[in-house]
Amino acid sequence: SPIIPVILGEAESALRAAAFLRDHGLYVPAIRPPTVPPNSARLRLSLMATHTDAHVSQLLEAMTALRQMAQQK
């Protein structure tokens, strides 16, 4: 399946987001320099045919909560 990047910028932001998602039962790795250019750290989402609708809903709910948390800062 294709990789869906969610670019966050700073490495620390990507690490915090990955930890937040892990705490919500999701494995979404943080990709940071030197793997990607500076200030382009990201989350790497990869959906597969084996993911159920419930898995996708769980991801969407967690990503929404992560976005709301980021907007409050």
Side-chain angles (χ1 to χ4, degrees), residues 64-73:
T64 298
L66 182 61
R67 182 178 182 187
Q68 290 171 346
M69 186 176 72
Q71 288 175 339
Q72 292 175 357
K73 289 186 177 187

Side-chain angles (χ1 to χ4, degrees), residues 18-70:
F20 177 88
L21 294 169
R22 186 174 48 253
D23 290 345
H24 286 80
L26 299 160
Y27 176 69
V28 181
I31 309 302
R32 321 170 260 147
T35 306
V36 295
N39 299 315
S40 69
R42 61 199 68 193
L43 297 175
R44 180 176 286 168
L45 298 171
S46 185
L47 298 175
M48 302 182 310
T50 55
H51 285 122
T52 65
D53 288 347
H55 291 132
V56 175
S57 292
Q58 179 184 8
L59 173 63
L60 292 174
E61 288 173 16
M63 292 295 284
T64 298
L66 182 61
R67 182 178 182 187
Q68 290 171 346
M69 186 176 72

